[in-house]
Amino acid sequence: MKFCILTQYYKPEMGAPQARLSELAEFLSNKGFDVTILTSMPNYPTGKIFEGYGGFMRIENDGNIKILRTYIYPSKSIRFLPRLWNYFSFTLSSIVSGLYYLPKCDYIMTESPPLFLGISGYILSKFKRAKLIFNVSDLWIESALELGVIEKGTLFSLSKFLENFIYNNSWRITGQSKEIVHHIDEQIGYKKTFRLSNGVDTKKYFSTAKNNSLKNWKNNKKYTVLYTGLHGIAQGLDQIIELALMSEINNQDVQFILIGDGPEKTTLIKKSQKLKLTNITFVDPVQREEVPFLMNDADLAIIPLKKFIPGAVPSKLYEAMALELPVLFIGDGEPADIVKNSHCGVVSKPDDIESMYNGLKKILSDKSISQRMGKSGRKSVLKYYNRKEILNNFEKFLRSDYPINNHN
């Protein structure tokens, strides 16, 4: 079978979609699929084309996987027009490049967000006579509405029209969470969905002895609280700064370490400097392979969301659970339920700094509690969120050619 993945985000970029899709591509290739990736020139999250890339078209091979890279307008701006052109530039270039370079295939899986890439996926699926699988990793319209990026009006209505068009013209729709799948089932009125959970590679993420990999950033503090990932609007990392302020006022022996990049990072650094915080360290992005070792060296993983974002389940939650690392989750919805049901940490509401602080104390003050949470998280991951099993089920789904019951 010939399988194409159409995505704006792919390695060597770092991030949840990049890791998830590259592992899917490698898995399918090892199972005998002929896999092609149609993606952009790498630029995320810095907003600059990576060194060695550029131009309109580049063709690479990663083992047996062919990678077609095409033009994108790079930007990490949070302003509306630059972000819109960032999305549309790749949508347009992927149509042109895909029509010319992409071979005929059996399936085209299109990653959303951005939603607009569904236009490219739909056009290419018609020309290449492929079944369109629309993979929804984020309910982009609802998220943008919640975060105030868009308001109900003409743009919202046009976006919903496009969303419905893509849903109804897809062969199948995959969603990474229960909330996403349920939302789509309700919206289109019948089931042609499949839950393709993010999960984690439990062979890469497992607890080992502490390795002092965080020592250069922990400021001689006893405990380290770690965040790794995008510094964007949705994450609400300003809450970590407020928590660090309360922690410092109360003389907690804790260092907060934030690893990554994104449009909000400069603002966050300026805010911490204004407050003269000494218990928070900002670190540039690291290679994906280093993340498990860094997380393993921490005492607690902090995973915040600015507010309830429908369908969002951060991949770093599964990673922390797999590493037996207790979690302080800030948010609501499905990820909060995962933390509560797996007993792997503490849940706080967004902007409730006192609750976050109490959760922090609860986890760090008693090693037996921390260890119990960690082991419970690992047990839950092995049972429900093991990426190998998730991908095995997806392969069965593809080969069966009809939907199987996978909504639980």
Side-chain angles (χ1 to χ4, degrees), residues 239 243 300-308 327-333 335-337 339-340 345-363:
Q239 298 173 100
L243 178 57
L300 184 151
I302 186 166
I303 304 173
L305 291 175
K306 186 177 182 66
K307 56 175 65 178
F308 172 63
V327 172
L328 175 58
F329 177 75
I330 303 165
D332 295 295
D337 291 338
V339 174
K340 292 174 185 175
V346 175
V347 174
S348 295
K349 296 287 185 182
D351 296 319
D352 189 345
I353 307 302
E354 185 175 352
S355 172
M356 298 175 205
Y357 180 71
N358 290 334
L360 192 69
K361 286 200 302 182
K362 178 181 179 179
I363 295 172

Side-chain angles (χ1 to χ4, degrees), residues 305-318:
L305 291 175
K306 186 177 182 66
K307 56 175 65 178
F308 172 63
I309 300 176
V313 180
S315 62
K316 58 183 69 67
L317 172 58
Y318 302 126

Side-chain angles (χ1 to χ4, degrees), residues 187-204:
Q187 183 166 321
I188 62 177
Y190 61 95
K191 293 190 181 226
K192 57 176 181 178
T193 52
F194 179 90
R195 183 178 167 221
L196 184 58
S197 178
N198 197 344
V200 64
D201 185 340
T202 56
K203 290 186 176 180
K204 290 182 180 178

